[in-house]
Amino acid sequence: MASSAIFNFLPSSSLSSLSFRNSRTQTPNFYKPLIVKASTSVDYSSSSLAGTSTKNNNWVWKYKDNSVNIYYEEHHKGSDEPCKNILMIPTISDVSTVEEWRSVAKDIAGRNGKVNYRTTIVDWPGLGYSDRPKLDYNADVMEKFLVDFINAPDSPVNNSDKDLVVFGGGHAATLAVRAAKKGLVKPTAIASIAPTWAGPLPIVFGRDSSMETRYGFLRGTLRAPAVGWMMYNVLVSNEKSITSQYKSHVYADPEKVTPYIIESRFALTKRQGARYVPAAFLTGLLDPVKSREEFVQLFAELEGKIPCLVLATEGSPKRSKAEMEALKEAKGVSKYVEVPGALLPQEECPEIVAEQLNEFLQEIYEL
């Protein structure tokens, strides 16, 4: 999300030669791709929503010699009735947080219907309110965390019937699909919201050897003591930069970017160790795949195995939107819906996103 600010730190000679490029319930009808456009109006009857109970806690992730406190939230009606588990994973970015899913989590958990849901939102290691140790973050590390969080015996989302639906945004969605394709996790279904696969710099500048060298230099500088914090403060950790990101491409409607959002995200960038994951994300180390072909093939591997909803967005940056549109008629995508918003529709348009996700859940569990 901070790529525009970084252009000034890359050698000018690299800019002239760049080629800018676009960035287990059986449901028989799920494997016939369905393409729809979401309605922008949502009508809630007075009895459709109930109050929810919220619990926040920490789960300890054991990774190599590290014990990492992972922040998560649970939302449910507070009754003793059986619930289906839903895991919501924030979009990976320099200001990633559980807050982006909170409204949707409460909405779905509070709905009255044939099935009750417990929604769990988890912050990635190195982001949000989780610990931020100085790990060598890459896509494999993030995938390892996701697999461990889902499968660990003491995981908040582990249950006896192994029934779990995963909702993920951006890179998080693609990492979940990648883990499912490998058989490392076995969710009942996956919803990919504004899915992406290329970090802010690679999607604009490409990945040839000269650019990879520059990315490595930038990454090393951001991780270094003293000078790393100085560069991080210029590129990411300032309210002007965050406001510019949100108004230019994170949200489609700049008027929805409130002072609270900016203050909240700015505070996250000041947490100890805040720069390590952004250093990896900005320079492409967290990219789950290296090409659009690999991206599409990941979803194709779900064909006939796991129902998969894709929520693309009308207002995404053109390169990111092109990657989403590549999934429109792709194998493995059970349903493709276009909703308002840009890169964070679950926060910008929570009612519409919640409605589409609820329809998806009904198609899985209530038919």
Side-chain angles (χ1 to χ4, degrees):
M1 294 183 182
S3 58
S4 58
I6 298 173
F7 294 165
N8 295 328
F9 289 86
L10 293 174
S12 59
S13 60
S14 69
L15 298 176
S16 60
S17 61
L18 292 176
S19 173
F20 284 75
R21 59 193 195 202
N22 294 335
S23 86
R24 226 78 43 212
T25 301
Q26 290 187 352
T27 51
N29 292 332
F30 250 114
Y31 302 114
K32 299 176 182 178
L34 177 62
I35 301 172
V36 300
K37 188 178 182 69
S39 169
T40 56
S41 62
V42 179
D43 180 23
Y44 293 123
S45 68
S46 59
S47 61
S48 63
L49 295 177
T52 59
S53 174
T54 299
K55 181 183 80 172
N56 50 54
N57 208 336
N58 286 301
W59 175 77
V60 179
W61 180 43
K62 302 288 187 179
Y63 179 71
K64 295 185 176 179
D65 295 327
N66 300 278
S67 293
V68 185
N69 287 310
I70 299 297
Y71 177 84
Y72 70 92
E73 295 180 356
E74 291 180 339
H75 302 272
H76 56 89
K77 289 181 183 176
S79 68
D80 294 329
E81 298 179 6
C83 294
K84 297 293 186 182
N85 279 335
I86 301 171
L87 174 61
M88 299 180 172
I89 321 169
T91 301
I92 294 178
S93 75
D94 40 352
V95 288
S96 174
T97 169
V98 294
E99 292 176 6
E100 71 191 50
W101 274 111
R102 194 171 286 154
S103 293
V104 174
K106 291 182 176 181
D107 184 317
I108 291 177
R111 292 194 178 221
N112 292 316
K114 296 178 182 178
V115 180
N116 294 315
Y117 299 104
R118 175 185 288 106
T119 55
T120 301
I121 324 171
V122 63
D123 268 329
W124 292 97
L127 293 171
Y129 299 102
S130 292
D131 285 353
R132 303 181 177 210
K134 191 178 182 180
L135 304 179
D136 292 324
Y137 294 99
N138 57 34
D140 292 338
V141 170
M142 294 311 217
E143 180 185 81
K144 170 67 173 166
F145 161 72
L146 182 59
V147 171
D148 289 349
F149 187 78
I150 291 174
N151 293 335
D154 63 343
S155 166
V157 297
N158 192 301
N159 60 81
S160 58
D161 61 9
K162 302 298 182 183
D163 194 356
L164 178 69
V165 176
V166 177
F167 297 163
H171 274 43
T174 310
L175 282 167
V177 171
R178 191 176 90 158
K181 176 248 182 184
K182 294 178 180 178
L184 300 175
V185 296
K186 297 180 180 179
T188 302
I190 297 176
S192 300
I193 292 77
T196 57
W197 61 266
L201 291 179
I203 200 170
V204 175
F205 293 107
R207 307 194 74 111
D208 64 32
S209 58
S210 64
M211 290 312 303
E212 290 288 6
T213 299
R214 290 174 172 84
Y215 299 157
F217 174 78
L218 175 61
R219 187 162 53 243
T221 303
L222 283 169
R223 288 174 61 90
V227 68
W229 268 116
M230 292 173 58
M231 180 173 284
Y232 178 72
N233 287 335
V234 171
L235 300 180
V236 177
S237 185
N238 65 84
E239 292 183 334
K240 183 178 179 181
S241 174
I242 295 170
T243 300
S244 175
Q245 292 174 43
Y246 269 75
K247 290 189 173 184
S248 66
H249 59 274
V250 177
Y251 275 32
D253 182 358
E255 296 301 315
K256 291 185 177 181
V257 181
T258 65
Y260 170 78
I261 290 173
I262 301 304
E263 292 167 9
S264 166
R265 303 314 190 257
F266 176 65
L268 289 174
T269 68
K270 294 302 183 184
R271 293 174 66 87
Q272 184 176 359
R275 70 189 189 275
Y276 300 130
V277 169
F281 172 65
L282 292 170
T283 56
L285 271 190
L286 303 189
D287 293 354
V289 294
K290 295 295 189 289
S291 69
R292 179 184 295 178
E293 291 72 25
E294 290 182 46
F295 179 57
V296 173
Q297 185 58 35
L298 276 185
F299 286 81
E301 295 290 337
L302 303 184
E303 181 78 10
K305 301 173 185 176
I306 301 173
C308 181
L309 166 69
V310 170
L311 292 187
T313 49
E314 298 170 357
S316 289
K318 64 180 182 179
R319 285 180 287 271
S320 297
K321 188 170 184 177
E323 304 309 318
M324 297 178 204
E325 290 180 339
L327 298 173
K328 185 176 287 187
E329 297 181 358
K331 288 181 62 177
V333 176
S334 315
K335 186 177 181 181
Y336 181 99
V337 182
E338 191 169 84
V339 298
L343 296 180
L344 218 56
Q346 63 269 33
E347 183 175 67
E348 183 180 359
C349 309
E351 297 90 354
I352 295 171
V353 169
E355 187 67 18
Q356 291 300 320
L357 294 175
N358 187 61
E359 286 184 16
F360 182 56
L361 292 169
Q362 289 178 331
E363 290 164 348
I364 296 167
Y365 291 118
E366 300 185 20
L367 289 182

